[in-house]
Amino acid sequence: MNYSSALLASIFSASLLLSACSSGSDSAAKEADITADNAKDLAVAATESTKQAVASEGAPSIFKTSASQFDTQSFSEKLVQQVQPASDPYDFNSLCTIRGSASSNFSSDGTSGTISFNNCEMDLGTIVNGSVTFQGNYTSSGGSYSIEYNNFTVTYNGITETIDFSMDCTYNNQGDSSCTTSSTAMGIDGRTYTVKNIDVSGDDMSGYNMTAEVVDPDYGTISVNATAVKFDCAAGTPSSGSITFSAGGKTGTVTFDSCSSFTVTIDDGAVSTTYNWADITAP
Protein backbone atom coordinates (compact mmCIF):
# COMPACT_ATOMS: atom_id res chain seq x y z
CA MET A 1 0.00 0.00 0.00
CA ASN A 2 3.02 2.25 0.04
CA TYR A 3 3.90 4.57 -2.79
CA SER A 4 7.36 4.24 -4.30
CA SER A 5 9.82 6.61 -2.61
CA ALA A 6 11.57 7.23 -5.91
CA LEU A 7 8.31 8.15 -7.59
CA LEU A 8 7.25 10.51 -4.83
CA ALA A 9 10.67 12.10 -4.73
CA SER A 10 10.43 12.80 -8.43
CA ILE A 11 6.91 14.16 -7.97
CA PHE A 12 8.20 16.78 -5.59
CA SER A 13 11.33 17.59 -7.55
CA ALA A 14 9.28 18.01 -10.71
CA SER A 15 6.82 20.25 -8.91
CA LEU A 16 9.72 22.65 -8.42
CA LEU A 17 9.94 23.00 -12.20
CA LEU A 18 6.53 24.46 -12.86
CA SER A 19 8.02 27.64 -14.25
CA ALA A 20 9.66 25.52 -16.93
CA CYS A 21 6.62 23.31 -17.50
CA SER A 22 3.65 23.90 -19.71
CA SER A 23 0.04 24.00 -18.71
CA GLY A 24 -3.33 23.68 -20.35
CA SER A 25 -6.97 22.94 -19.72
CA ASP A 26 -9.01 24.32 -22.60
CA SER A 27 -7.09 23.59 -25.78
CA ALA A 28 -10.28 23.86 -27.80
CA ALA A 29 -10.90 27.50 -26.81
CA LYS A 30 -11.23 29.82 -29.78
CA GLU A 31 -8.60 32.43 -30.52
CA ALA A 32 -9.57 35.88 -29.32
CA ASP A 33 -10.30 38.75 -31.69
CA ILE A 34 -8.52 41.80 -30.25
CA THR A 35 -10.59 44.96 -30.70
CA ALA A 36 -10.83 48.41 -29.18
CA ASP A 37 -13.91 47.23 -27.30
CA ASN A 38 -12.31 44.24 -25.56
CA ALA A 39 -8.67 45.39 -25.34
CA LYS A 40 -9.09 46.51 -21.73
CA ASP A 41 -10.50 43.14 -20.62
CA LEU A 42 -7.80 41.23 -22.49
CA ALA A 43 -5.14 43.47 -20.94
CA VAL A 44 -6.48 42.58 -17.50
CA ALA A 45 -6.48 38.89 -18.47
CA ALA A 46 -2.84 39.21 -19.54
CA THR A 47 -1.98 40.94 -16.28
CA GLU A 48 -3.75 38.41 -14.08
CA SER A 49 -2.14 35.48 -15.89
CA THR A 50 1.28 37.03 -15.31
CA LYS A 51 0.42 37.48 -11.64
CA GLN A 52 -0.52 33.78 -11.41
CA ALA A 53 2.77 32.75 -13.02
CA VAL A 54 4.85 35.02 -10.80
CA ALA A 55 3.12 33.68 -7.70
CA SER A 56 3.95 30.19 -8.96
CA GLU A 57 7.63 31.07 -8.66
CA GLY A 58 7.21 31.09 -4.88
CA ALA A 59 4.92 28.05 -4.79
CA PRO A 60 5.82 25.97 -7.81
CA SER A 61 3.34 23.11 -7.40
CA ILE A 62 0.44 25.51 -7.91
CA PHE A 63 0.15 29.13 -6.87
CA LYS A 64 -0.08 31.07 -3.66
CA THR A 65 -3.63 32.13 -2.99
CA SER A 66 -4.09 35.87 -2.70
CA ALA A 67 -5.88 35.76 0.64
CA SER A 68 -3.80 33.26 2.57
CA GLN A 69 -0.50 33.24 0.64
CA PHE A 70 -0.81 29.47 1.03
CA ASP A 71 2.63 28.05 0.23
CA THR A 72 1.84 24.99 -1.82
CA GLN A 73 5.50 24.17 -2.36
CA SER A 74 5.93 23.67 1.36
CA PHE A 75 2.60 21.86 1.56
CA SER A 76 3.54 19.44 -1.22
CA GLU A 77 6.90 18.84 0.42
CA LYS A 78 5.16 17.88 3.65
CA LEU A 79 2.95 15.43 1.79
CA VAL A 80 6.00 13.77 0.27
CA GLN A 81 7.81 13.65 3.61
CA GLN A 82 4.89 11.75 5.10
CA VAL A 83 5.26 8.89 2.63
CA GLN A 84 9.03 8.49 2.87
CA PRO A 85 10.49 6.06 3.58
CA ALA A 86 7.95 3.97 1.72
CA SER A 87 7.90 1.25 4.39
CA ASP A 88 6.52 3.63 7.02
CA PRO A 89 2.76 4.06 7.53
CA TYR A 90 1.13 7.24 6.29
CA ASP A 91 0.31 9.83 8.94
CA PHE A 92 -1.17 12.88 7.25
CA ASN A 93 -3.10 13.82 10.38
CA SER A 94 0.12 15.35 11.68
CA LEU A 95 -0.39 18.15 9.13
CA CYS A 96 -3.58 19.21 10.95
CA THR A 97 -1.81 20.85 13.88
CA ILE A 98 -4.88 22.70 15.22
CA ARG A 99 -7.91 20.55 14.36
CA GLY A 100 -9.53 18.55 11.59
CA SER A 101 -8.25 15.39 9.94
CA ALA A 102 -6.43 13.97 6.92
CA SER A 103 -6.58 10.42 5.63
CA SER A 104 -5.16 8.48 2.71
CA ASN A 105 -6.10 5.55 0.53
CA PHE A 106 -3.48 4.00 -1.74
CA SER A 107 -3.82 1.07 -4.12
CA SER A 108 -2.12 -2.22 -3.25
CA ASP A 109 0.30 -1.89 -6.18
CA GLY A 110 1.33 1.62 -5.20
CA THR A 111 0.36 3.19 -8.53
CA SER A 112 -2.40 5.45 -7.21
CA GLY A 113 -3.40 7.16 -4.01
CA THR A 114 -5.58 9.89 -2.59
CA ILE A 115 -5.02 12.12 0.43
CA SER A 116 -8.26 13.66 1.77
CA PHE A 117 -8.49 16.68 4.07
CA ASN A 118 -11.47 17.50 6.28
CA ASN A 119 -11.38 20.93 7.97
CA CYS A 120 -7.66 20.43 8.41
CA GLU A 121 -6.47 23.54 10.22
CA MET A 122 -2.75 24.06 10.09
CA ASP A 123 -0.41 26.65 11.58
CA LEU A 124 -1.32 30.32 11.09
CA GLY A 125 -5.02 29.48 10.93
CA THR A 126 -5.13 28.11 7.38
CA ILE A 127 -7.86 25.50 6.84
CA VAL A 128 -7.78 23.12 3.87
CA ASN A 129 -10.49 20.83 2.54
CA GLY A 130 -10.62 18.47 -0.42
CA SER A 131 -8.22 15.89 -1.77
CA VAL A 132 -4.96 15.46 -3.66
CA THR A 133 -4.68 12.48 -6.01
CA PHE A 134 -1.44 10.83 -7.10
CA GLN A 135 -1.19 8.38 -9.99
CA GLY A 136 1.98 7.06 -11.53
CA ASN A 137 4.23 4.35 -12.81
CA TYR A 138 7.91 4.25 -11.86
CA THR A 139 10.66 2.14 -13.43
CA SER A 140 14.46 2.36 -13.43
CA SER A 141 14.38 3.82 -16.94
CA GLY A 142 11.73 6.45 -16.22
CA GLY A 143 8.00 6.71 -15.91
CA SER A 144 5.01 9.00 -15.63
CA TYR A 145 2.68 10.38 -13.00
CA SER A 146 -0.09 12.88 -12.42
CA ILE A 147 -1.15 15.08 -9.52
CA GLU A 148 -4.59 16.60 -9.20
CA TYR A 149 -6.18 18.81 -6.56
CA ASN A 150 -9.89 17.95 -6.30
CA ASN A 151 -12.43 20.37 -4.83
CA PHE A 152 -9.51 21.69 -2.82
CA THR A 153 -10.15 24.88 -0.87
CA VAL A 154 -8.03 27.09 1.35
CA THR A 155 -9.71 29.25 4.00
CA TYR A 156 -7.87 32.06 5.73
CA ASN A 157 -9.27 34.99 7.72
CA GLY A 158 -12.79 33.96 6.70
CA ILE A 159 -12.02 33.99 2.97
CA THR A 160 -12.24 30.70 1.08
CA GLU A 161 -10.49 30.17 -2.24
CA THR A 162 -10.59 27.17 -4.53
CA ILE A 163 -7.39 25.75 -5.98
CA ASP A 164 -7.93 24.21 -9.41
CA PHE A 165 -4.72 22.54 -10.51
CA SER A 166 -3.48 19.39 -12.19
CA MET A 167 -0.10 18.25 -13.50
CA ASP A 168 0.94 15.34 -15.73
CA CYS A 169 4.63 14.51 -16.01
CA THR A 170 6.95 12.04 -17.67
CA TYR A 171 10.54 11.60 -16.52
CA ASN A 172 13.68 9.65 -17.40
CA ASN A 173 16.16 7.74 -15.28
CA GLN A 174 18.06 10.97 -14.61
CA GLY A 175 15.00 12.52 -13.01
CA ASP A 176 14.50 15.00 -15.86
CA SER A 177 10.82 15.79 -16.25
CA SER A 178 8.49 17.08 -18.93
CA CYS A 179 5.22 18.34 -17.50
CA THR A 180 1.86 19.55 -18.68
CA THR A 181 -0.16 21.54 -16.17
CA SER A 182 -3.41 23.42 -15.93
CA SER A 183 -4.40 26.06 -13.41
CA THR A 184 -7.23 28.51 -13.08
CA ALA A 185 -7.79 31.45 -10.75
CA MET A 186 -10.15 34.36 -10.32
CA GLY A 187 -8.75 37.69 -11.43
CA ILE A 188 -8.99 41.14 -9.90
CA ASP A 189 -12.03 41.84 -12.09
CA GLY A 190 -13.96 38.81 -10.80
CA ARG A 191 -13.46 36.72 -13.95
CA THR A 192 -11.72 33.32 -13.96
CA TYR A 193 -8.73 32.68 -16.23
CA THR A 194 -7.05 29.47 -17.32
CA VAL A 195 -3.29 29.69 -17.87
CA LYS A 196 -1.21 27.22 -19.88
CA ASN A 197 2.27 26.89 -21.43
CA ILE A 198 3.80 28.92 -18.59
CA ASP A 199 7.44 29.99 -18.71
CA VAL A 200 8.49 32.55 -16.11
CA SER A 201 11.84 34.06 -15.12
CA GLY A 202 13.15 37.05 -13.20
CA ASP A 203 12.83 38.25 -9.62
CA ASP A 204 11.29 40.93 -7.42
CA MET A 205 14.16 43.34 -7.99
CA SER A 206 14.42 43.28 -11.78
CA GLY A 207 10.82 42.35 -12.49
CA TYR A 208 9.41 39.21 -14.07
CA ASN A 209 9.36 37.99 -17.65
CA MET A 210 6.68 35.50 -18.62
CA THR A 211 5.23 33.79 -21.64
CA ALA A 212 1.98 31.83 -21.59
CA GLU A 213 -1.31 31.17 -23.28
CA VAL A 214 -4.36 32.50 -21.50
CA VAL A 215 -7.98 31.51 -21.97
CA ASP A 216 -10.16 34.56 -21.37
CA PRO A 217 -13.62 33.33 -20.27
CA ASP A 218 -15.38 35.79 -22.59
CA TYR A 219 -13.15 36.30 -25.62
CA GLY A 220 -10.95 33.23 -26.09
CA THR A 221 -7.23 32.48 -26.13
CA ILE A 222 -4.41 35.02 -26.28
CA SER A 223 -0.63 34.63 -26.22
CA VAL A 224 1.04 36.67 -23.50
CA ASN A 225 4.60 37.97 -23.26
CA ALA A 226 5.45 39.97 -20.14
CA THR A 227 8.63 42.02 -19.70
CA ALA A 228 10.11 43.29 -16.41
CA VAL A 229 6.76 43.38 -14.60
CA LYS A 230 6.96 44.23 -10.89
CA PHE A 231 4.09 43.26 -8.58
CA ASP A 232 5.01 45.47 -5.63
CA CYS A 233 1.87 47.54 -5.11
CA ALA A 234 -0.22 47.22 -1.96
CA ALA A 235 -3.28 46.08 -3.93
CA GLY A 236 -1.30 43.43 -5.80
CA THR A 237 -1.29 45.35 -9.07
CA PRO A 238 1.92 45.94 -11.08
CA SER A 239 3.88 49.15 -10.66
CA SER A 240 5.97 48.95 -13.82
CA GLY A 241 6.79 46.83 -16.84
CA SER A 242 4.72 45.86 -19.86
CA ILE A 243 2.86 42.92 -21.38
CA THR A 244 2.18 42.18 -25.02
CA PHE A 245 -0.87 40.07 -25.85
CA SER A 246 -1.65 38.73 -29.30
CA ALA A 247 -4.12 36.58 -31.20
CA GLY A 248 -5.28 36.20 -34.80
CA GLY A 249 -2.51 38.39 -36.16
CA LYS A 250 -3.47 41.31 -33.90
CA THR A 251 -1.43 42.65 -31.00
CA GLY A 252 -2.05 44.77 -27.94
CA THR A 253 0.27 46.11 -25.26
CA VAL A 254 -0.47 47.01 -21.65
CA THR A 255 2.02 49.35 -19.97
CA PHE A 256 1.90 49.80 -16.19
CA ASP A 257 2.18 53.49 -15.46
CA SER A 258 1.91 53.28 -11.67
CA CYS A 259 0.20 51.30 -8.94
CA SER A 260 -3.07 52.97 -9.83
CA SER A 261 -3.20 53.04 -13.65
CA PHE A 262 -2.22 51.27 -16.86
CA THR A 263 -2.31 52.13 -20.56
CA VAL A 264 -3.52 49.79 -23.29
CA THR A 265 -2.37 50.24 -26.87
CA ILE A 266 -3.56 48.32 -29.94
CA ASP A 267 -3.11 48.60 -33.71
CA ASP A 268 0.51 49.77 -33.45
CA GLY A 269 -0.38 52.77 -31.34
CA ALA A 270 -3.44 53.86 -33.29
CA VAL A 271 -5.62 53.30 -30.20
CA SER A 272 -4.19 54.08 -26.77
CA THR A 273 -6.28 54.39 -23.61
CA THR A 274 -5.38 54.77 -19.92
CA TYR A 275 -7.43 53.01 -17.23
CA ASN A 276 -7.52 53.11 -13.43
CA TRP A 277 -7.30 49.86 -11.46
CA ALA A 278 -9.89 51.22 -9.03
CA ASP A 279 -12.45 51.03 -11.84
CA ILE A 280 -11.49 47.43 -12.67
CA THR A 281 -11.50 45.78 -9.25
CA ALA A 282 -14.50 43.54 -8.66
CA PRO A 283 -16.64 44.62 -5.67
Side-chain angles (χ1 to χ4, degrees):
M1 296 193 49
N2 287 318
Y3 221 77
S4 163
S5 294
L7 172 59
L8 286 164
S10 63
I11 286 175
F12 179 59
S13 63
S15 73
L16 302 180
L17 301 176
L18 177 60
S19 63
C21 294
S22 63
S23 64
S25 83
D26 190 2
S27 58
K30 67 178 182 179
E31 199 169 24
D33 179 22
I34 301 174
T35 68
D37 292 332
N38 65 20
K40 178 189 70 175
D41 289 341
L42 292 175
V44 174
T47 304
E48 291 302 292
S49 66
T50 303
K51 185 177 180 179
Q52 285 188 47
V54 168
S56 297
E57 273 292 277
S61 63
I62 28 180
F63 50 88
K64 289 183 178 180
T65 59
S66 59
S68 63
Q69 290 296 292
F70 180 61
D71 190 339
T72 52
Q73 174 182 343
S74 176
F75 185 72
S76 297
E77 183 176 22
K78 289 179 180 179
L79 296 183
V80 174
Q81 289 173 343
Q82 292 296 321
V83 294
Q84 292 182 331
S87 58
D88 291 346
Y90 304 117
D91 181 21
F92 296 102
N93 267 313
S94 62
L95 297 175
C96 309
T97 56
I98 308 299
R99 62 181 176 90
S101 62
S103 60
S104 63
N105 181 23
F106 285 87
S107 64
S108 58
D109 62 3
T111 59
S112 62
T114 299
I115 307 166
S116 301
F117 299 89
N118 181 24
N119 293 321
C120 176
E121 184 171 356
M122 301 179 293
D123 295 336
L124 303 179
T126 300
I127 302 171
V128 298
N129 282 281
S131 62
V132 180
T133 302
F134 297 95
Q135 291 185 336
N137 179 38
Y138 175 78
T139 68
S140 59
S141 60
S144 62
Y145 58 84
S146 63
I147 305 173
E148 184 172 1
Y149 283 70
N150 308 295
N151 298 316
F152 196 91
T153 62
V154 178
T155 301
Y156 183 76
N157 284 343
I159 299 176
T160 298
E161 296 175 294
T162 299
I163 293 176
D164 184 348
F165 175 83
S166 63
M167 177 168 64
D168 297 290
C169 297
T170 58
Y171 56 95
N172 59 26
N173 58 357
Q174 301 299 315
D176 299 323
S177 301
S178 175
C179 301
T180 301
T181 67
S182 172
S183 67
T184 65
M186 182 177 292
I188 195 171
D189 57 354
R191 299 190 303 150
T192 299
Y193 305 101
T194 299
V195 186
K196 55 186 179 179
N197 298 331
I198 299 170
D199 187 2
V200 60
S201 63
D203 53 42
D204 291 339
M205 294 296 294
S206 62
Y208 289 90
N209 307 312
M210 190 275 285
T211 60
E213 291 181 38
V214 180
V215 180
D216 183 286
D218 299 313
Y219 303 108
T221 300
I222 55 175
S223 296
V224 173
N225 191 328
T227 303
V229 178
K230 293 185 178 181
F231 288 93
D232 53 2
C233 300
T237 56
S239 64
S240 60
S242 64
I243 302 174
T244 298
F245 54 96
S246 59
K250 299 180 180 179
T251 300
T253 300
V254 51
T255 302
F256 305 107
D257 308 314
S258 66
C259 287
S260 59
S261 67
F262 61 97
T263 299
V264 180
T265 304
I266 62 172
D267 296 335
D268 296 326
V271 179
S272 183
T273 307
T274 298
Y275 301 94
N276 293 318
W277 281 114
D279 298 327
I280 305 297
T281 306

